[in-house]
Amino acid sequence: MPRLGIARVHGRSMLPTLVEGDRLLVRYDVVPRRGDVVVCRFPDATLAVKRATASVRGGWWVERDNPREGVDSALVGPVAPDDLLGVAVVRLWPRPRRLRRRGD
């Protein structure tokens, strides 16, 4: 059974999908699918909420929904499989809604 947790969105890199302060229900230790919103760890140990766009050599390519803000794989390279921590499935707060996958 997957572990569950809560992640909080910081910054504006996932606009318009997510905004600063959103709380997400995250399923940890599950394999993402292309287009999922994920929680990952960048090489500098920063935790981030991004979109998994492709499985590539070396891990997952993750991108921001807002190209004008934040950091993604274009700047730091692919995220290693062990550093892709979980898949966000629901925004819990401020208004609950299921997160949709993009790019299928």
Side-chain angles (χ1 to χ4, degrees):
M1 178 175 205
R3 294 179 321 163
L4 298 175
I6 296 178
R8 183 172 172 217
V9 175
H10 294 278
R12 302 183 322 175
S13 70
M14 290 301 290
L15 286 171
T17 307
L18 301 168
V19 300
E20 175 93 28
D22 281 354
R23 304 308 197 279
L24 309 175
L25 179 65
V26 178
R27 290 181 65 192
Y28 292 97
D29 301 324
V30 296
V31 176
R33 291 175 54 194
R34 188 171 59 97
D36 281 342
V37 173
V38 298
V39 175
C40 61
R41 182 181 302 113
F42 285 141
D44 68 356
T46 299
L47 294 178
V49 174
K50 301 296 174 196
R51 190 168 301 277
T53 58
S55 178
V56 297
R57 177 187 279 175
W60 278 90
W61 195 261
V62 298
E63 296 181 5
R64 51 205 159 161
D65 284 0
N66 177 0
R68 295 185 195 114
E69 295 282 337
V71 174
D72 62 13
S73 288
L75 298 170
V76 299
V79 173
D82 289 346
D83 289 329
L84 208 138
L85 307 175
V87 175
V89 292
V90 174
R91 181 182 71 182
L92 296 171
W93 190 88
R95 285 187 218 141
R97 72 173 161 88
R98 187 160 184 81
L99 293 174
R100 297 191 186 275
R101 182 177 297 119
R102 283 196 188 157
D104 271 346

